[in-house]
Amino acid sequence: MPSLCRCWLSEIGGGYLVWQWLRNDKPIWLGLGGGIILFLYGVVATFQVFSFGKAYAAYGGVFIVMALLWGWWVDKKTPDLNEWIGAVICLVGVSVMLLKR
């Protein structure tokens, strides 16, 4: 699980830095740093114990929740009720996917 947390943080953090550079006229070094972090995200993702498809599909559902939390804590944009409901639905889907049969 710790490497999965690093995946979320590196993808969201790296993407956020690139976003800041391109959309909010921040310095280019933020964009370059974000690009490096996004590259490292691709490397960290290979440490997952699941198959590629399962790891990325489950990761996608959890990524939605992490992105909402990032936006709330870092960007100060409070998610609305529909966003929270959607995030819970995604987590239910992730739980179903990761259940052992």
Side-chain angles (χ1 to χ4, degrees), residues 4 8 50 52-64 90-91 93-95 97-98:
L4 198 55
W8 297 322
F50 301 111
F52 178 85
K54 185 182 256 190
Y56 272 78
Y59 164 81
V62 176
F63 176 86
I64 291 168
C90 289
L91 289 179
V94 167
S95 298
M97 290 173 50
L98 296 180

Side-chain angles (χ1 to χ4, degrees), residues 6 11 15 19-20 29 46 50 57 62 69 73 85 87 96 101:
R6 285 189 290 274
E11 185 179 10
W19 180 281
Q20 290 298 313
W29 61 267
T46 66
F50 301 111
V62 176
L69 292 173
W73 292 331
I85 291 170
V96 169
R101 293 188 188 254

Side-chain angles (χ1 to χ4, degrees), residues 17-78:
L17 292 176
V18 171
W19 180 281
Q20 290 298 313
W21 166 53
L22 290 173
R23 299 278 303 259
N24 295 327
D25 297 321
K26 299 297 182 185
I28 191 171
W29 61 267
L30 279 179
L32 292 173
I36 291 168
I37 292 169
L38 287 169
F39 169 78
L40 293 173
Y41 148 73
V43 173
V44 170
T46 66
F47 296 117
Q48 303 310 312
V49 297
F50 301 111
S51 67
F52 178 85
K54 185 182 256 190
Y56 272 78
Y59 164 81
V62 176
F63 176 86
I64 291 168
V65 174
M66 296 299 291
L68 286 176
L69 292 173
W70 181 280
W72 190 14
W73 292 331
V74 175
D75 224 16
K76 307 299 184 217
K77 307 290 184 201
T78 304

